[in-house]
Amino acid sequence: MEILLLVLFVAILFVLGVTYAQRSDPLVPGMQAPAFKAVDQFGNAFEMPMAGARTVLAFFPRDNTSRCLGQIEEFATLNSEFERLECRVFFVAISDTNGNKQFADAHQVKLPILADVSAAAASAFGSIVDFGLYRFAKRTTFIVDNTGKIAATFVVSEPRGHAKVVLDALRAQ
């Protein structure tokens, strides 16, 4: 009986946590993309948005998950198409550079994964769920045009096929 009550109590706390977690709405097209600096898994420093360049910023919840890896692999497969459209693809994770490097090395990820340790970039883009002690980026992708404005926003429920959707949106611009 005590175990059942403990499980029920934990379940109630979980539901309350999910219900009252701080969430924000992602930035919408036409808004200025927030500026931030980050380092990728190779040690390269970047300033976003990149002046005069179109970029895709894909926020994802965590390194080392099959859904995140699948999303990255699809973008990697289509990367030459993004390059033909003069667009750079960056992933952003609320993790440190070392964690991103371990993930990238284990799966031969060549696209840059930017470390957003403080979650400042995810928060600024409205791509955050914060439970206080635990936070993660919502799977959200932004196309940023060469003027630094958000050209398109995608809240991603299913990462499979998402890279093609983003590529099609870039072609239509």
Side-chain angles (χ1 to χ4, degrees), residues 91-168:
F91 290 91
V92 185
I94 299 176
S95 59
D96 61 23
T97 305
N98 188 45
N100 290 344
K101 181 167 179 24
Q102 289 174 359
F103 173 63
D105 289 349
H107 302 287
Q108 295 81 46
V109 175
K110 303 295 182 220
L111 292 173
I113 303 173
L114 304 177
D116 185 20
V117 178
S118 68
S123 295
F125 276 82
S127 182
I128 190 89
V129 176
D130 191 344
F131 292 102
L133 295 176
Y134 180 72
R135 61 185 173 199
F136 61 91
K138 291 185 279 189
R139 194 179 307 278
T140 314
T141 303
F142 300 90
I143 297 174
V144 181
D145 69 18
N146 59 358
T147 68
K149 293 200 186 272
I150 305 292
T153 301
F154 306 88
V155 177
V156 184
S157 58
E158 174 54 55
R160 188 175 306 132
H162 176 59
K164 174 98 172 67
V165 170
V166 174
L167 187 59
D168 290 344

Side-chain angles (χ1 to χ4, degrees), residues 46-68:
F46 294 94
E47 289 189 32
M48 295 292 163
M50 296 181 76
R54 291 199 304 177
T55 56
V56 169
L57 293 173
F59 290 84
F60 66 95
R62 291 186 30 195
D63 291 339
N64 292 316
T65 65
S66 60
R67 289 171 53 104
C68 293

Side-chain angles (χ1 to χ4, degrees), residues 56-99:
V56 169
L57 293 173
F59 290 84
F60 66 95
R62 291 186 30 195
D63 291 339
N64 292 316
T65 65
S66 60
R67 289 171 53 104
C68 293
L69 179 59
Q71 182 179 5
I72 290 171
E73 288 173 339
E74 285 188 12
F75 273 94
T77 299
L78 295 173
N79 193 47
S80 62
E81 296 294 317
F82 285 98
E83 288 176 344
R84 272 191 219 121
L85 296 171
E86 298 178 353
C87 182
R88 297 267 322 257
V89 176
F90 295 89
F91 290 91
V92 185
I94 299 176
S95 59
D96 61 23
T97 305
N98 188 45

